[in-house]
Amino acid sequence: MFLPTTRTEMNRLGWEKADVILVTGDSYIDSPFMGIAVIGKVLAAAGFKVAVIAQPDVHSDKDISRLGEPHLFWGISGGSIDSMVANYTALKKRRKKDDYTPGGSNTRRPDRAVIVYANQIRRYFKDTCPIVLGGIEASLRRIAHYDFWSNRVRRSILFDARADYLVYGMGEKAVVALCRHLRAGKNPKDIAGIELDEVHDLDFERDLHPFYKKQGHVKALATIKFSLTTHRGCYGECNFCAIAVHQGRTIQWRSRRSILKEAELLSRYPDFKGYILDAGGPTANMYGYECTKKLKDGPCPDRRCLFPEICPVLKIDHGRQLALLREIRSIKGVKKVFVASGLRYDLLLADKKNGARYLNEIVIHHTSGQLKVAPEHSEESVLKKMGKCGRAPLVAFKDLFFKFTQDAGKQQFLSYYMIAAHPGCTEKDMKNLASFSTRELRIRPEQVQIFTPTPSTYSTLMYCTQMDPFTRERLFVEKNPGKKEYQKSIVTG
Ligand code: SF4
């Protein structure tokens, strides 16, 4: 069942007021891939009345006030992407498209959506109940941070939004605990933690709410409707990436039972054509194993799991994911299950027992013509600033991929994701990347992104300070938009 988003739906449920109203910068797709739907469904399963207002009109009270005030709190999220990242390119040009908005035009998500929505609530509801911030925008901006779009260090978003609480990271359990504390009139301190199966076992519609469906098609639905999340978190900790900052450095994986149950459910949808478009997480091949020391004592404060080398304490084993993929593809009605999330090839090569077998099965059964990998660069000095492994594992992986592809008699390719204008990267580095790609990869990569300094990452710190925070050395940082674009064009042509 969808959570209500109109007064008519609330009346039908016999609610005068909701306990919690969630406000989001995305449209309301009821799917386990959408944070606001997950939080709403978890709260509803815990017995709370939850309603959703998606992409409210920020110039009037017509949307924000249509459900009245909640009993317990307003929950605000900028949506699945930080609103500044969603609204602007790496060169600060306004984006025209938004995959999470009906019709696809980028007209419904305000800049700094969390602050705008919070202020809108305060404007129309004086002395209202607490305002709680969540989602990636609040999470990455929870402490003082460099903001690329205004080119200054901003204070915690809690102050600018004049909010009461901020739930960061993956906050399902915390938000239920918060609700219970507020209902009981208790002080919500020291609330933390989660478990993953329960979330995915909830009853999602896997569709856009009918109220928003009238406004147009939402592009994101096409990729998430028939995809499976197998795990969360990433111990890759690349310096430019916000996933570890938001989802954490510890992998939380779902049980085989929960994933197979969801796959069977998908196979029964009338519009399911037999294809599961992805079974993965932030990095596909981190399912089913974790560092035992980390699980007991938490991540090491003074070292990383994969950089500069893979930590020997981490026992990499793709066996569990192999078994899982076999079981998913044997479900009646499932013709193919693809692994569309990116692979860490250094992990794959380090698994002497199951790594090659895993890649072989990926090549034979789980690739839709192209497999994505993200080397990001070829030059050691730049890779070091990114916190990524060197180029040798990439070349070894590429050779193995094409060997298995040839053995299988298939025509398949690798798609390489690269970054231009990362702190420390010069035009010469991009020229070297271009010649490495032609010489070793025999391709001119098309997927080249200009580095975007998202809040709270190490690479953003480098961008802001022009210094390597690990060595304190001065660092070349390309800040000129035209020259950033030129760096990209060196590789893409
Ligand atoms: S011991 Fe190694 S694998 Fe485990 S948390 Fe520390 S760095 Fe990561």
Side-chain angles (χ1 to χ4, degrees):
M1 198 176 92
F2 286 106
L3 300 167
T5 192
T6 60
R7 173 54 67 182
T8 314
E9 288 169 287
M10 279 179 47
N11 291 343
R12 213 179 293 137
L13 291 165
W15 301 358
E16 200 181 306
K17 269 185 165 194
D19 292 322
V20 176
I21 296 180
L22 301 175
V23 182
T24 172
D26 296 329
S27 196
Y28 171 28
I29 303 173
D30 197 58
S31 157
F33 282 85
M34 304 298 289
I36 217 74
V38 169
I39 293 294
K41 286 292 172 82
V42 167
L43 284 172
F48 295 97
K49 296 175 187 163
V50 187
V52 175
I53 298 174
Q55 300 187 315
D57 176 22
V58 294
H59 304 294
S60 76
D61 68 342
K62 77 177 168 79
D63 290 323
I64 205 74
S65 65
R66 71 176 183 237
L67 305 180
E69 269 180 288
H71 272 299
L72 297 176
F73 69 81
W74 297 89
I76 297 179
S77 162
S80 305
I81 306 172
D82 181 283
S83 58
M84 299 306 283
V85 178
N87 287 349
Y88 296 92
T89 69
L91 299 177
K92 299 189 187 175
K93 289 185 187 149
R94 181 102 192 153
R95 291 187 203 274
K96 294 195 173 69
K97 304 262 179 231
D98 187 328
D99 289 354
Y100 295 91
T101 295
S105 294
N106 186 18
T107 53
R108 299 289 299 271
R109 191 192 309 265
D111 290 356
R112 309 193 189 284
V114 168
I115 297 173
V116 171
Y117 296 152
N119 287 337
Q120 201 185 12
I121 289 166
R122 295 249 183 254
R123 190 176 331 129
Y124 294 114
F125 297 97
K126 306 285 177 212
D127 302 321
T128 190
C129 56
I131 291 181
V132 180
L133 312 183
I136 194 158
E137 182 163 328
S139 201
L140 298 186
R141 296 169 183 272
R142 61 188 182 262
I143 55 172
H145 56 280
Y146 172 72
D147 179 80
F148 168 59
W149 300 270
S150 57
N151 191 25
R152 67 182 174 93
V153 175
R154 294 181 70 108
R155 58 188 180 170
S156 165
I157 197 167
L158 258 175
F159 298 109
D160 288 336
R162 293 183 296 141
D164 300 276
Y165 302 99
L166 190 155
V167 176
Y168 70 86
M170 313 310 279
E172 292 94 333
K173 193 170 175 183
V175 88
V176 171
L178 179 66
C179 248
R180 290 193 175 129
H181 276 67
L182 291 176
R183 175 168 276 176
K186 289 201 249 166
N187 190 357
K189 287 198 320 194
D190 307 325
I191 300 173
I194 167 175
E195 255 186 64
L196 200 50
D197 281 1
E198 284 172 35
V199 171
H200 287 266
D201 287 350
L202 295 170
D203 162 37
F204 290 97
E205 291 287 338
R206 293 164 205 284
D207 205 351
L208 184 62
H209 188 287
F211 179 79
Y212 299 100
K213 218 173 207 173
K214 286 183 287 188
Q215 300 169 10
H217 170 69
V218 171
K219 194 177 169 197
L221 191 58
T223 41
I224 61 178
K225 184 162 186 180
F226 295 118
S227 291
L228 295 166
T229 298
T230 56
H231 57 286
R232 278 182 184 174
C234 186
Y235 41 74
E237 280 192 89
C238 303
N239 288 335
F240 52 83
C241 180
I243 287 172
V245 184
H246 182 54
Q247 294 198 3
R249 296 158 61 187
T250 305
I251 300 292
Q252 293 166 335
W253 64 87
R254 295 170 63 191
S255 71
R256 174 188 150 273
R257 178 205 63 78
S258 167
I259 297 168
L260 293 175
K261 189 174 152 201
E262 190 179 359
E264 275 168 19
L265 184 81
L266 295 185
S267 74
R268 292 198 295 272
Y269 271 68
D271 53 342
F272 181 70
K273 302 276 190 294
Y275 299 96
I276 292 179
L277 300 185
D278 189 22
T283 298
N285 56 331
M286 287 186 183
Y287 177 83
Y289 54 91
E290 241 304 357
C291 162
T292 45
K293 182 177 170 296
K294 193 199 295 180
L295 291 175
K296 189 163 154 276
D297 303 326
C300 291
D302 54 351
R303 63 183 299 188
R304 293 188 181 192
C305 306
L306 304 188
F307 184 81
E309 273 133 26
I310 297 175
C311 172
V313 181
L314 183 67
K315 302 295 175 221
I316 302 160
D317 184 357
H318 292 73
R320 227 185 235 185
Q321 197 187 6
L322 261 175
L324 176 73
L325 290 170
R326 283 179 195 148
E327 284 192 272
I328 300 174
R329 65 180 189 251
S330 69
I331 291 172
K332 192 165 166 251
V334 174
K335 293 182 193 155
K336 278 271 183 196
V337 46
F338 296 118
V339 173
S341 311
L343 289 181
R344 277 291 295 227
Y345 42 82
D346 50 346
L347 280 177
L348 194 143
L349 296 171
D351 178 3
K352 299 297 173 215
K353 188 171 157 211
N354 285 314
R357 203 139 46 100
Y358 174 81
L359 180 59
N360 197 22
E361 293 210 10
I362 293 284
V363 164
I364 296 172
H365 298 289
H366 304 291
T367 305
S368 63
Q370 282 201 353
L371 189 67
K372 287 183 212 159
V373 287
E376 315 295 5
H377 217 285
S378 61
E379 299 312 284
E380 298 294 331
S381 62
V382 182
L383 288 167
K384 210 167 155 194
K385 300 296 174 227
M386 293 175 165
K388 298 282 289 188
C389 64
R391 62 165 83 163
L394 171 64
V395 176
F397 171 82
K398 180 211 75 170
D399 291 344
L400 201 57
F401 174 85
F402 284 112
K403 178 190 175 308
F404 289 151
T405 296
Q406 200 176 21
D407 291 351
K410 295 196 167 219
Q411 267 236 322
Q412 295 185 146
F413 304 94
L414 285 173
S415 173
Y416 304 94
Y417 285 67
M418 305 290 185
I419 296 181
H422 185 276
C425 178
T426 61
E427 288 175 11
K428 183 161 179 278
D429 291 318
M430 293 309 286
K431 283 176 188 158
N432 290 343
L433 170 59
S435 66
F436 167 80
S437 304
T438 321
R439 193 179 62 246
E440 296 281 353
L441 307 180
R442 301 190 182 281
I443 197 169
R444 183 163 226 170
E446 289 170 6
Q447 306 290 345
V448 182
Q449 285 188 7
I450 295 171
F451 168 69
T452 301
T454 45
S456 298
T457 66
Y458 280 115
S459 297
T460 298
L461 182 61
M462 293 180 205
Y463 185 89
C464 170
T465 59
Q466 299 180 269
M467 187 184 81
D468 181 331
F470 305 105
T471 62
R472 302 204 163 239
E473 285 165 4
R474 295 291 299 164
L475 195 61
F476 168 77
V477 177
E478 186 53 84
K479 295 207 170 183
N480 179 302
K483 290 187 174 178
K484 288 183 188 181
E485 195 140 37
Y486 177 63
Q487 282 208 12
K488 176 177 169 173
S489 74
I490 290 172
V491 174
T492 59

